[in-house]
Amino acid sequence: MRRRKKKQKKKFRPVRYAPTPVLGAADRHMVSRFSYGTTPELVREVQSAGGGLAWFEQQLATAYADPAGDAAIGDWWPDLHRDAATLWKRQQDEVRAVWEVMSDYSCRLMVRRMTSPHQVLERMTEFFEAHLHVPVNGDKQGVWRASYGDVIRRHALGRFDEMLVEAITHPSMLLFLDQAVSTKKAPNENLGRELLELHTVGVGHYTEDDVKASARILTGYRVDVWRTWAATYKPEDHWTGPVRVGDFVDANAAADGRDLVRRYLVHLAHHPQTAQRLARKLAVKFVRDDPPQALVDRLARTYLQHDTAIVPVLRELVRSVEFKGSRGVKLRDPSEDLVATYRALSATVRKPQRREDAANAMLWQSTVIGLAPMTWPRPDGQPLDNQAWATPARALASMDIHWSLAGGWWPKTGVDYLQPTDWVPELPMRFAPLVDHLSRRILGRPSTRGILKAASTAVGVKPTEEITADHPLMRWHFNRLLGSFLDNPLHYGR
Amino acid sequence: MTTSPLPRTSASGSDDCSCPEFRGADLSRRGFLRGLGLAGATMTVGSAVVTVGPSAPAAASGGSNVLVVLSMRGAADGLSLVVPHGDPVYYRARPRIAIPADRLVAKDGFFGLHPALSPLLPLWQQGRMGAVHATGLAVPNRSHFAAMEAVEDATPGSSERVGWLNRLIGDMPGTSPLQAVAVGSAPPSLYGPQPWMGFDRLDEVGVAGDDQWDPTDDRLRSLGKMWQRSRSPLAPALRSAMAAVEEIGPAQAQQQRSDNFPKSDLGKALSAVSRTIRGDIGASVITVDQGDWDMHSDLGTLEWGRMQRNADDFARSVAAFFEDLGPAADRVTLVTVSEFGRRVVENNNYGLDHGWGNVMFLFGAGVKGGYRGTWAGLGDGHDADLTVTTDYRSVLSEVVRTRTTVSTATVFPQFSPERVGAMAGV
C-alpha cells in the first residue's frame, strides 16, 4: 500500500516548463485583485515594470493619460453616443428599444475590462459604478445611463466628494431613485434615503427625520419624463426652510437649492461614517470579506486626511499586511469570471456584426453565470462578498460557460480562439510539461501535483506520454484539457 | 521564477487527495457524487458533525410535505393587496390610488382583495388561501437591505449569517442538498452550513462535459480530484450541485406545462417548482422570488401602474401553480414574505414610500382560509405606518409546526410565537 502511494507520488510529480514566464506569488496576487485576469501581455507588463507594486503605481500614473484611446476601446455600439431624447424617440418609433441599448452598455463594459491597458482604472470604475449604482435595466434611467457611467469613470481615481456631487445630481440617478419627479409638496424619499444609507454614512447613522430632511434638500431637480427627458432645476419645486441632517444644518432660505445640495453632498462625502463605509467596502472588495477593523480605520483616516481622494487610500491598501495576507480568498463574481476566462484563453473578441457575435453574446454568458454588469436590480449594487456568488446554480453555470468556451462552441463568431496547435509550445512534447505550460498560461502559476492529476484524469493521458500532432489529445480532446484548468478552484478565485 | 507556497486560506489543488475513485472501485457513480455532496456538508460545519449519517435516498422522502417560500422583493404594499376598506383612514390617505370598495373581491365587512387577485378566488372559496394582515418585524426597519437581512436570518442580535430556512433543513432527517431548492435567485434565508441546491432553469441542470462522449466519467473524476478537498469559497456549493445533479432527473422528467403559467419570471419559476415537487426528489423547502414591488412611483390605480401588473402576475402564477401540481397540491404550502410594508399615505407620484406592517399570504395544505390579524387602526399623518401587531415569525412558526417535524425553537431561536390561527390544528 505504502509502495503504491509512493509510486503514485512519483507518477504525478509536476515537470517545469520554464520558458513560459509566470509571476511570483506576491505579484500574481496584486494583478489578480487589480486586473481582470492573467494574460501573457500582463505578465510581461508587470515584469518590465519591476513587480506588482511598481505596476500598480504605473497604472495609477497613467490611468487618465489617454482618455481618447480609452474611449475608443470597445466603441462598437454607436447608440451609446445618442442623447436621451433621441434614444427615447427611437424606442417610440420602434427602431430600437432602450433595453437593447443598455445591453450594449453592459457589453462595452466587459470589452473594456477585457482589453483595456488601464486595468486599475477599469476596476475602480466598476467599484464606484456599483457603489453609486444605477441599474441599466429600466427605460427611465436608461436613456441617460451611458453618460452617467462617464461621470463615474472620470472620478473613479479622483475625489469622492466631486464624484458624489456629480453622480447624485445626474439625471440618470435622479430618475432611478424618483428624485426627478419629487416635489416640495410631498418630497419623494427614495433618493434622500439611499443617499444616506447606501452612498454615504450607512444604516444606523441617520434617523427617519434625517431622511425627510435629505429628501427636502434634494427637491428642485426635475426631468421631463417620458417626453423630452430634458433635465432642469425648478426653484418652484424646491422645499425651503431650515433643514438638519445629522450635524449638517442649513437655513435653506434660497429658492434655488443647488448650492445647498452641493454643500450637503460635500459634507456627507467628508463624514467619518462615509469614510468608514467606503473603506470597508474597498477592503471587502480588494482584501477579504471580513477585513480587520484596524485596516478599515487606517483606510478611513487616509481618505479623510486627503480630502476624499481615492488614490492615497488604494496606495495604503495594497501596501497593507492585510492585503498581502489575503491571497486566494476572494471569489470571482459572474462577469469577472467570464472576462477572466476570455483573457486566460487568449480569445480575441472582435467588433460585432451580428447579435450572436461574441461581443454581444458575452452579455448572455455573464447572465447565465449569474449577473451581467450593472444589471443588479436593487440600488445597493452587486454584492462584493463571496457568499452571494458561492451558490450551486452559479457553480453549474460557470462550468457550463467554461466548457463552451474551452471548446469554442459558443459563441462561435466574432471571436478568435486559439487552436490546439497554438496552445502547444513545441511538438512533440510530453504531457506533464505541456500541463505545466498551460497552468502558467491559464492559472498564472506552475503546475502542481493536483493540477497534473486532474488534467491527466480529464483526458486519460499519462504524465509521461508523448504528445504528437496526431495524438488523440490534439485531435479530439484538447477542450477537455482546457476545461480542467478553467474549472480548477484557482480559476474561480482572484 | 519565484513561487511561494500557497497560504492556508488559499484554494489549493488536491495534492495529497485520497479521494475515493468510483471507477473500478467499490463506489458507484451515484455514490461518488453523493459523497461529494456530503463532503460539502461536513466541510462547512467542521469536525463537530462526524455523526452525519449516510445520505438518505431522495426517493425515501418523496411524498413528504413541501414548504414554498415566495419572497416579494422591494416591499410590497399590503394595503393595496388586502384592502382595509372598513378603515375610513384608508380612503382619506390615498385620494388617488385607493381601490374603490365596490371593486374589491372576496370582500367582508372590513377587508377585500385587489381585483387583480381574482384568479385566486377559487382557492379562496375552497378555504385554501389565507391572509394575515399587519405582520412584519417587531420594530420598523425601513432599509430594504437591513430589513431583508433581519427577516431572512430571523435571529435578532446574532451576527452569524445563517438563514432560517437553512436552520429548518438542518433539523430535518437526511443530508441531500435537494432538501432545499432555490429556483431563480438564491435568498439569504438559505445561506448557512447546510447544503442546498439552486437553479434558474430545471432542464439545464447538469455538469457540462458529463455527456455521452465521456463514457468513463473522466470529467466527473477530474472535477472530484480538484474540488473534493478544496477550500475555495465556492467548493461547498459546487459539491452540493454535483451531488444534486444525479438526483434531479425525476424532476426534469416531469411534464413541462409552462403554457398554463404567465410568461413572467415568477410564472416560469413556479412552473419549475411544480415539476420539482411532482418529481418527488425529496425537496422539503423551495424558494422563489418576485421582484419589482418597490413602488415609490407609479404604483398607480386599477387602470394603470405597477401594482395591478405585479398583482396580476402574482395571482395568475400562484393559481396556475396549484392547478399544475395536481394531486401533489395536497402536500404543498406556500407562504409569502416581504421585507416591510409601505406608508399609509400616498406620495405625490402615485406611489408610496417605505413603511412597516404588511400582509402575508398562505396557500395550500394545512392553511386556514380567510382574513386574520389584529388591526390597530390606520393613522393618517404624512409618515403613518400600518402598525405591526403580529410578528412575521409567529406566522412562519405555525407553518413550521404544522407542516414539518422541526422544532420552531431551532428555526426561530429566542422567540416565543403568539397564536395567529393561520394554520389548521394550531
Side-chain angles (χ1 to χ4, degrees):
Chain A
M1 189 68 192
R2 192 176 301 152
R3 195 176 311 146
R4 194 175 144 223
K5 221 170 181 177
K6 214 168 171 186
K7 208 171 144 196
Q8 279 264 324
K9 219 167 174 181
K10 200 172 160 196
K11 188 175 160 195
F12 291 106
R13 182 178 297 159
V15 177
R16 296 278 167 261
Y17 190 79
T20 308
V22 284
L23 299 173
D27 296 341
R28 187 168 66 227
H29 177 52
M30 178 72 80
V31 297
S32 88
R33 290 290 162 85
F34 282 97
S35 80
Y36 283 92
T38 189
T39 65
E41 297 74 33
L42 182 66
V43 171
R44 271 199 299 278
E45 201 179 295
V46 174
Q47 288 181 331
S48 71
L53 204 53
W55 171 82
F56 189 78
E57 288 296 331
Q58 200 177 67
Q59 285 278 311
L60 293 178
T62 58
Y64 292 115
D66 183 16
D70 281 355
I73 297 169
D75 189 13
W76 297 335
W77 293 276
D79 284 352
L80 294 174
H81 295 291
R82 297 185 196 277
D83 63 24
T86 309
L87 289 180
W88 184 241
K89 182 165 190 322
R90 283 162 61 87
Q91 164 147 321
Q92 298 295 85
D93 296 346
E94 296 182 12
V95 179
R96 197 152 186 259
V98 173
W99 71 264
E100 296 177 273
V101 180
M102 286 296 94
S103 305
D104 297 350
Y105 185 80
S106 294
C107 291
R108 189 177 68 180
L109 281 178
M110 280 190 282
V111 171
R112 285 174 168 179
R113 293 172 191 171
M114 199 189 299
T115 57
S116 172
H118 300 129
Q119 290 279 295
V120 173
L121 175 62
E122 289 304 319
R123 275 253 165 244
M124 298 318 297
T125 300
E126 177 180 6
F127 177 85
F128 283 106
E129 202 167 349
H131 177 70
L132 297 165
H133 184 49
V134 175
V136 293
N137 12 13
D139 291 350
K140 272 192 307 182
Q141 65 265 27
V143 294
W144 275 99
R145 185 61 179 78
S147 89
Y148 182 76
D150 294 341
V151 166
I152 301 290
R153 178 171 297 268
R154 197 161 65 240
H155 292 290
L157 287 169
R159 283 172 61 138
F160 184 69
D161 56 1
E162 291 172 2
M163 186 189 325
L164 189 69
V165 171
E166 264 200 76
I168 297 299
T169 59
H170 188 282
S172 197
M173 176 64 91
L174 298 170
L175 285 160
F176 170 47
L177 291 178
D178 299 300
Q179 195 61 47
V181 294
S182 184
T183 62
K184 67 179 168 194
K185 188 174 154 235
N188 194 304
E189 290 176 8
N190 206 0
L191 180 61
R193 176 187 302 278
E194 304 302 10
L195 167 65
L196 293 169
E197 173 172 349
L198 299 177
H199 307 141
T200 61
V201 294
V203 79
H205 303 287
Y206 59 86
T207 65
E208 285 300 311
D209 283 342
D210 290 339
V211 170
K212 294 192 184 85
S214 183
R216 286 170 183 152
I217 290 170
L218 292 169
T219 50
Y221 292 92
R222 303 286 293 188
V223 177
D224 185 24
V225 289
W226 313 120
R227 284 185 289 268
T228 65
W229 299 97
T232 50
Y233 189 85
K234 291 194 171 148
E236 63 270 28
D237 280 320
H238 177 60
W239 192 96
T240 50
V243 284
R244 170 189 288 273
V245 179
D247 49 0
F248 179 83
V249 181
D250 199 283
N252 182 25
D256 185 333
R258 278 175 290 189
D259 193 61
L260 167 71
V261 168
R262 192 191 55 75
R263 280 180 280 119
Y264 174 52
L265 295 173
V266 168
H267 167 86
L268 288 175
H270 288 257
H271 196 288
Q273 289 302 337
T274 302
Q276 278 284 327
R277 185 169 162 72
L278 276 176
R280 176 161 294 276
K281 286 185 78 170
L282 283 165
V284 169
K285 177 72 188 175
F286 295 108
V287 181
R288 59 195 315 137
D289 283 6
D290 52 345
Q293 185 59 39
L295 171 67
V296 174
D297 288 344
R298 290 201 319 272
L299 298 180
R301 200 179 318 127
T302 303
Y303 168 87
L304 292 174
Q305 276 167 358
H306 290 86
D307 285 329
T308 80
I310 293 151
V311 165
V313 183
L314 296 179
R315 285 205 167 115
E316 171 129 23
L317 184 148
V318 300
R319 285 171 175 81
S320 69
V321 288
E322 292 89 344
F323 176 72
K324 290 179 185 118
S326 69
R327 280 180 218 154
V329 300
K330 291 293 295 184
L331 191 59
R332 283 178 171 147
D333 73 16
S335 57
E336 286 173 339
D337 181 347
L338 182 68
V339 169
T341 302
Y342 274 87
R343 284 170 67 93
L345 291 175
S346 297
T348 311
V349 171
R350 286 181 268 111
K351 180 177 176 176
Q353 309 296 328
R354 289 172 301 266
R355 206 190 175 91
E356 63 271 23
D357 285 353
N360 290 325
M362 285 183 72
L363 180 81
W364 303 110
Q365 290 183 298
S366 62
T367 303
V368 165
I369 300 176
L371 193 76
M374 300 304 144
T375 61
W376 182 251
R378 311 183 331 203
D380 55 341
Q382 64 189 69
L384 306 177
D385 65 342
N386 290 336
Q387 192 164 37
W389 309 117
T391 65
R394 184 269 165 94
L396 293 181
S398 276
M399 288 198 270
D400 207 42
I401 297 298
H402 293 165
W403 196 251
S404 63
L405 285 170
W409 295 307
W410 182 60
K412 257 199 168 346
T413 55
V415 54
D416 299 316
Y417 296 104
L418 299 188
Q419 298 308 307
T421 44
D422 302 322
W423 279 112
V424 181
E426 51 192 83
L427 276 177
M429 75 186 293
R430 292 195 189 276
F431 186 65
L434 172 60
V435 166
D436 193 59
H437 164 72
L438 294 176
S439 179
R440 288 160 181 257
R441 277 289 296 268
I442 296 172
L443 302 174
R445 72 194 75 207
S447 58
T448 61
R449 193 180 306 277
I451 288 169
L452 179 56
K453 234 180 190 178
S456 173
T457 307
V459 290
V461 176
K462 291 190 186 70
T464 51
E465 214 168 305
E466 189 170 77
I467 308 300
T468 56
D470 57 356
H471 189 284
L473 174 69
M474 298 298 288
R475 295 175 61 195
W476 314 111
H477 296 150
F478 212 83
N479 65 305
R480 293 182 170 270
L481 180 57
L482 293 176
S484 85
F485 290 94
L486 298 178
D487 283 329
N488 190 296
L490 295 167
H491 182 66
Y492 286 81
R494 63 172 173 88
Chain B
M1 275 320 104
T2 57
T3 54
S4 53
L6 289 166
R8 283 164 52 84
T9 44
S10 113
S12 69
S14 47
D15 270 9
D16 52 357
C17 172
S18 55
C19 332
E21 288 274 351
F22 66 88
R23 193 164 54 122
D26 53 348
L27 267 174
S28 67
R29 172 188 156 100
R30 171 171 283 197
F32 168 77
L33 286 167
R34 245 189 222 153
L36 269 182
L38 209 55
T42 49
M43 199 75 183
T44 43
V45 292
S47 55
V49 188
V50 286
T51 53
V52 164
S55 175
S61 50
S64 61
N65 292 342
V66 183
L67 169 59
V68 179
V69 179
L70 191 163
S71 297
M72 302 168 117
R73 300 283 177 197
D77 177 42
L79 294 174
S80 293
L81 294 168
V82 175
V83 176
H85 65 88
D87 190 323
V89 175
Y90 171 76
Y91 289 100
R92 266 210 314 275
R94 300 183 170 189
R96 293 180 300 179
I97 65 167
I99 297 157
D102 60 358
R103 300 288 301 278
L104 297 171
V105 297
K107 201 165 114 180
D108 70 5
F110 194 79
F111 289 121
L113 300 179
H114 191 292
L117 300 184
S118 297
L120 296 168
L121 281 176
L123 287 166
W124 182 269
Q125 280 145 9
Q126 294 157 20
R128 295 162 71 203
M129 170 179 177
V132 186
H133 226 315
T135 64
L137 291 163
V139 260
N141 185 336
R142 290 171 218 281
S143 150
H144 289 294
F145 319 104
M148 261 187 266
E149 201 169 292
V151 166
E152 304 211 21
D153 284 6
T155 46
S158 166
S159 61
E160 203 187 0
R161 294 296 327 264
V162 178
W164 71 276
L165 290 174
N166 200 275
R167 289 194 297 275
L168 178 66
I169 56 170
D171 231 32
M172 288 177 168
T175 54
S176 164
L178 283 170
Q179 259 182 348
V181 177
V183 179
S185 57
S189 52
L190 273 179
Y191 291 175
Q194 294 299 319
W196 49 277
M197 177 58 185
F199 56 78
D200 283 326
R201 278 176 286 258
L202 178 57
D203 292 316
E204 288 168 18
V205 173
V207 176
D210 174 29
D211 51 29
Q212 70 263 41
W213 294 283
D214 181 16
T216 47
D217 293 317
D218 294 343
R219 165 77 164 158
L220 292 183
R221 287 186 301 119
S222 172
L223 288 168
K225 283 187 192 311
M226 292 188 283
W227 289 92
Q228 177 131 23
R229 303 200 162 209
S230 168
R231 282 191 294 252
S232 160
L234 185 64
L238 186 135
R239 290 187 290 244
S240 289
M242 282 182 67
V245 157
E246 195 66 8
E247 316 281 351
I248 209 163
Q252 291 172 323
Q254 290 295 314
Q255 198 192 355
Q256 159 118 270
R257 299 187 284 247
S258 52
D259 285 354
N260 301 334
F261 287 80
K263 300 277 172 263
S264 62
D265 289 347
L266 180 64
K268 285 179 204 151
L270 282 175
S271 166
V273 173
S274 171
R275 291 170 68 202
T276 303
I277 294 169
R278 286 187 275 127
D280 271 357
I281 53 171
S284 302
V285 171
I286 303 180
T287 65
V288 57
D289 276 11
Q290 184 190 21
D292 202 26
W293 285 101
D294 190 19
M295 302 178 187
H296 289 271
S297 294
D298 301 337
L299 177 142
T301 67
L302 288 184
E303 280 67 48
W304 65 274
R306 297 161 67 189
M307 176 56 70
Q308 43 100 21
R309 222 163 40 223
N310 244 24
D312 171 76
D313 176 28
F314 169 75
R316 288 195 297 127
S317 298
V318 172
F321 171 63
F322 278 95
E323 187 68 34
D324 193 62
L325 282 170
D330 292 346
R331 52 191 178 89
V332 177
T333 310
L334 184 149
V335 57
T336 69
V337 184
S338 197
E339 61 259 39
F340 47 75
R342 308 196 78 87
R343 295 281 175 76
V344 175
V345 180
E346 69 182 43
N347 67 20
N348 225 14
N349 308 126
Y350 285 89
L352 295 159
D353 291 311
H354 296 183
W356 187 21
N358 205 340
V359 72
M360 289 172 80
F361 291 109
L362 300 104
F363 299 89
V367 169
K368 223 191 268 174
Y371 301 112
R372 261 156 252 285
T374 306
W375 200 253
L378 296 175
D380 60 356
H382 162 66
D383 47 4
D385 286 323
L386 170 59
T387 304
V388 168
T389 53
T390 303
D391 190 305
Y392 77 106
R393 291 172 294 177
S394 290
V395 180
L396 296 178
S397 291
E398 292 194 355
V399 177
V400 168
R401 194 137 49 89
T402 55
R403 304 304 298 168
T404 76
T405 55
V406 176
S407 142
T408 55
T410 308
V411 182
F412 304 109
Q414 279 120 45
F415 174 66
S416 316
E418 286 175 20
R419 190 179 177 281
V420 184
M423 299 293 289
V426 290

